[in-house]
Amino acid sequence: MTLTVRIDTTSAVPHYEQLRSQLAALITAGTLTDGERLPTVRALAHDLGIAPGTVSRTYRDLEAAGLVVSRRRVGTLVTAPPAALDRAVVTEAARRFVRLARDHGLTDAEVRDAVAAELVRSTAPSHEGGTSGRGRQLELPTSS
């Protein structure tokens, strides 16, 4: 199984934030599981066509959020999200939101923008971003 991570080079959302939001969503949803190793900073940067510093910043932000841990000689590993998070409830709420947005004619980009705006309002340091459009993408292999 592989997972797609995309960077939209036409988006105003910074590359590190696009990558952070996608990886955080994959971890929070349980698609990337506890103990899975993420690609090295250099490998991921090369594959996505972005700067290594961008990936490094993404990994630091994910580590600060408790979603990954970086260890010398081991790499960056996914850590289990907090047990209090009921993924099924969050996933169902996301499905309802997407259905509602589509029923009202919003595009995928507009849906992402709505979520991004709410995240900015609720937590100043965190921004979500869109990932559609032109750009590079990477298929991440998983152990499943």
Side-chain angles (χ1 to χ4, degrees):
M1 178 172 144
T2 59
L3 306 169
T4 302
V5 177
R6 292 185 176 94
I7 298 298
D8 180 358
T9 58
T10 64
S11 174
V13 177
H15 295 161
Y16 79 88
E17 183 54 33
Q18 291 181 47
L19 182 58
R20 188 211 57 80
S21 65
Q22 291 176 68
L23 290 174
L26 291 169
I27 294 166
T28 303
T31 307
L32 289 173
T33 59
D34 189 38
E36 282 193 67
R37 187 172 169 204
L38 296 180
T40 65
V41 167
R42 287 183 187 192
L44 186 55
H46 177 267
D47 291 345
L48 290 173
I50 59 178
T54 300
V55 177
S56 182
R57 179 174 181 179
T58 297
Y59 282 7
R60 281 193 311 271
D61 287 355
L62 291 171
E63 190 163 19
L67 297 174
V68 300
V69 61
S70 295
R71 297 185 186 139
R72 284 186 174 249
R73 299 181 194 237
V74 175
T76 302
L77 304 171
V78 173
T79 57
L85 177 65
D86 185 345
R87 290 186 203 121
V89 171
V90 174
T91 300
E92 181 54 33
R95 283 186 188 118
R96 286 192 315 267
F97 173 71
V98 169
R99 269 195 307 267
L100 175 67
R102 289 206 170 119
D103 288 347
H104 287 277
L106 272 69
T107 65
D108 287 356
E110 291 169 325
V111 171
R112 283 189 286 274
D113 289 346
V115 171
E118 185 54 36
L119 286 169
V120 168
R121 278 190 285 276
S122 66
T123 56
S126 179
H127 315 249
E128 296 296 315
T131 58
S132 64
R134 291 181 287 175
R136 305 265 321 246
Q137 72 181 34
L138 171 67
E139 301 286 328
L140 290 178
T142 65
S143 57
S144 300

